[in-house]
Amino acid sequence: MTDVGIDAIEIHAGKLKLDLPGTFAPAKGEDPEKYTKGLGLHASSLPDVYEDIVTMGANAARKLMDRKGLEPADIGRIDVATESAFDNSKPVSTYIAGCLEQVYEGDFRHANKGERKFACVAGTQAIDDAYNWIRAGRNRGRAALVVATDTALYARGDAGEATQGAGAVAMLIDEDPSLVSLSTEQGYGSMDETDFLKPNQQFPSVDGKRSVQVYLARMREALTDYESVATDTHPDDFVMVPFHTPFPGMVRKAALLGYRHMIRDTEIEEALADEIGRQPRPEAFEDDESYLDAIAEYTDKLKGTDRYREWYARSIDPTLELARHVGNWYTGSVHVARASGLKHALENDLDITGKQLLVASYGSGAQAEVHSETVQPDWEEEIAGLDIDDQLAARRDITFEEYETVHDVHNHDEETDVDPFTSPEAEFVFDGWGRMGERQYRYVE
Ligand code: CAA
């Protein structure tokens, strides 16, 4: 069976930077270390006045098509994953295709376009759809373009405001991919939850603390489900484990529970037994409460072991490097985590061809998905093509007052007339409203 997976990836970050410890925390009267140490965040990427989910998605897609030398005729499917859509009928992929048609000679009339919604896991679901379409032989030799794009903004004053972000990830899904191939095996943990939702409103209603617990619970189910179709997982099986990263502190919690699960009944649990004991088993306790106390105590000790710290530094920390500087990109977040890990591997000259990634996606509401990926021989060339460091360095660092203005500009209930903070160059920009209330776009040379 031919491999199917991610052939190429491009990332486009919002052009403004909100410094969380330096600008946001002082304005909120908070300790900067809540951000740097607690949440693990240094900055959020935010959209300038002329940016939105369409411009960011189209700019990422254009860069990808140019770098890979693609024309519209090469792409048979465009799926956009977003939880920031502004149109309940016309999918964002049509707007993005419209942008791309302004700069390419051909058009996308032949391409099946859609929009995927399940909070942040929708980006991974859109990849699934593309994978299945190719595997079913319906692609007529064409590749699929998947764009995960979001302006992850919370209402002013919401606790989630600390974890905002904006950006897009474009991915080309194809046979014989250059970057990673996807496993057929997948695991799911899915349940009707009311932790984070946007019932016909722009900014989410969030029960933040509960959302953290729901993330952990669904992730645990997805991992167990994955093991039921693949095989038991072991920390040494995977060179890196990219997680959905609403903020790095969330992944710190999830990774510890995942590691504890993976080492149960292995030589690692055995090797650590002298230092921290063996993992408590529920059957050895009279009630749930005493078991939960014991497992919490064990987990706390596990976190402090050299063995765990080394694994975390090698397999998790590299996947968080970009998230620390861009915040949460919702549907794009796990794909930023994968790119971040691979970028770290390239910069550190790690030989990871043929190695496995365990990819852990999550969307509120809620669903987790776990699958594995195999790093392909051409991964270095693909990752070397990313210019995300330059984009991050070029961002305009905004003051708190400017942040308030930017938030208003992107608030659908506010009327604003604000000059951009940066000058667009060789990119798509928002260009006002059309006669039917549609958003319009143009390419700026
Ligand atoms: N020094 C060091 N650490 C500090 C600190 C300081 N001065 N002050 C606080 N901290 C630590 C806290 O101890 C806490 O860490 P632990 O959870 O490990 O204890 C962390 O910093 C955050 O502090 P708080 O819990 O006090 O922060 P908060 O009350 O402002 O809320 C939040 C945090 C609930 C995550 C909030 O940001 C939020 O609602 N975010 C949006 C929802 C979200 O991202 N949920 C994640 C799971 S859902 C999901 O993944 C989908 C999605 O993308 C939204």
Side-chain angles (χ1 to χ4, degrees):
M1 204 158 49
T2 327
D3 283 338
V4 176
I6 306 175
D7 188 55
I9 178 167
E10 280 292 347
I11 305 177
H12 186 91
K15 291 193 159 179
L16 305 179
K17 167 187 166 186
L18 177 63
D19 182 327
L20 294 169
T23 303
F24 191 70
K28 291 272 177 183
E30 289 177 322
D31 183 348
E33 294 205 336
K34 168 179 166 182
Y35 293 85
T36 51
K37 296 215 165 117
L39 296 168
L41 287 169
H42 292 258
S44 301
S45 279
L46 296 176
D48 203 340
V49 172
Y50 55 84
E51 294 186 291
D52 67 10
I53 49 171
V54 172
T55 65
M56 295 186 300
N59 287 322
R62 170 153 203 236
K63 235 185 300 177
L64 185 148
M65 288 180 65
D66 283 354
R67 186 164 62 76
K68 298 295 279 188
L70 299 172
E71 295 294 328
D74 300 317
I75 291 170
R77 185 178 175 108
I78 307 178
D79 283 312
V80 170
T82 184
E83 44 187 306
S84 323
F86 48 76
D87 193 321
N88 285 324
S89 175
K90 190 172 141 59
V92 171
S93 49
T94 61
Y95 289 88
I96 290 183
C99 286
L100 296 171
E101 284 172 354
Q102 292 181 32
V103 295
Y104 292 103
E105 280 195 1
D107 62 49
F108 289 102
R109 280 164 202 249
H110 58 274
N112 185 5
K113 308 182 188 85
E115 193 172 300
R116 251 297 188 172
K117 178 173 71 183
F118 196 145
C120 310
V121 78
T124 297
Q125 290 182 316
I127 293 177
D128 272 6
D129 294 341
Y131 175 98
N132 294 335
W133 171 73
I134 294 170
R135 272 262 181 276
R138 292 176 135 182
N139 61 321
R140 298 190 240 165
R142 290 178 167 134
L145 178 63
V146 168
V147 181
T149 180
D150 272 296
T151 46
L153 294 176
Y154 290 76
R156 295 293 316 281
D158 189 290
E161 206 182 357
T163 64
Q164 299 179 121
V169 181
M171 291 166 281
L172 193 74
I173 313 304
D174 206 352
E175 286 171 291
D176 294 323
S178 297
L179 194 59
V180 290
S181 63
L182 308 182
S183 64
T184 310
E185 295 81 11
Q186 295 175 287
Y188 288 102
S190 187
M191 197 168 159
D192 177 11
E193 296 276 10
T194 311
D195 55 333
F196 173 112
L197 53 157
K198 298 182 178 178
N200 286 325
Q201 62 197 45
Q202 184 189 2
F203 301 127
S205 296
V206 194
D207 182 341
K209 302 283 186 230
R210 192 171 143 61
S211 74
V212 170
Q213 294 313 317
V214 174
Y215 178 120
L216 297 175
R218 301 291 81 79
M219 200 58 91
R220 177 200 301 255
E221 291 163 3
L223 181 58
T224 312
D225 191 45
Y226 171 77
E227 289 181 328
S228 76
V229 286
T231 177
D232 280 355
T233 51
H234 185 286
D236 295 347
D237 293 345
F238 305 102
V239 64
M240 269 176 267
V241 187
F243 277 92
H244 167 58
T245 311
F247 53 94
M250 180 71 242
V251 175
R252 203 164 52 218
K253 293 180 204 292
L256 180 59
L257 299 192
Y259 186 81
R260 189 185 75 196
H261 174 89
M262 287 195 276
I263 65 165
R264 196 167 300 148
D265 295 323
T266 68
E267 78 296 348
I268 301 183
E269 182 185 21
E270 203 56 38
L272 290 172
D274 281 348
E275 192 181 343
I276 59 169
R278 288 202 173 71
Q279 295 197 18
R281 306 306 203 252
E283 51 279 13
F285 293 84
E286 278 180 5
D287 53 60
D288 282 355
E289 205 178 47
S290 34
Y291 166 66
L292 291 175
D293 286 348
I295 194 86
E297 196 185 321
Y298 174 87
T299 310
D300 211 41
K301 288 188 200 149
L302 179 64
K303 185 167 64 178
T305 60
D306 288 345
R307 187 101 189 214
Y308 176 71
R309 284 166 187 266
E310 279 158 21
W311 175 78
Y312 187 91
R314 189 174 64 244
S315 307
I316 303 292
D317 208 49
T319 69
L320 305 176
E321 283 172 7
L322 288 174
R324 284 192 193 103
H325 301 285
V326 302
N328 191 0
W329 287 9
Y330 288 163
T331 54
S333 160
V334 67
H335 310 292
V336 168
R338 179 200 295 103
S340 177
L342 295 176
K343 187 168 156 301
H344 169 93
L346 181 71
E347 286 161 1
N348 290 278
D349 223 4
L350 305 182
D351 178 12
I352 59 166
T353 300
K355 300 260 166 71
Q356 303 279 304
L357 307 175
L358 188 68
V359 180
S361 304
Y362 175 74
S364 294
Q367 179 162 302
E369 189 265 8
V370 169
H371 67 267
S372 64
E373 298 180 355
T374 307
V375 180
Q376 297 299 301
D378 291 335
W379 71 275
E380 286 171 292
E381 199 183 320
E382 286 306 317
I383 295 299
L386 293 178
D387 66 350
I388 184 66
D389 287 340
D390 295 340
Q391 290 184 49
L392 298 189
R395 284 180 303 182
R396 163 77 147 53
D397 196 353
I398 52 176
T399 64
F400 188 76
E401 290 68 32
E402 288 170 339
Y403 159 68
E404 292 184 301
T405 304
V406 167
H407 199 285
D408 282 351
V409 165
H410 294 284
N411 181 339
H412 298 168
D413 293 335
E414 300 275 345
E415 289 267 331
T416 53
D417 183 12
V418 176
D419 286 336
F421 295 90
T422 59
S423 304
E425 207 185 312
E427 64 192 287
F428 298 104
V429 297
F430 171 62
D431 194 30
W433 304 88
R435 70 181 174 93
M436 290 178 75
E438 77 277 21
R439 291 174 74 85
Q440 294 182 319
Y441 299 92
R442 107 187 124 85
Y443 187 74
V444 174
E445 293 295 340

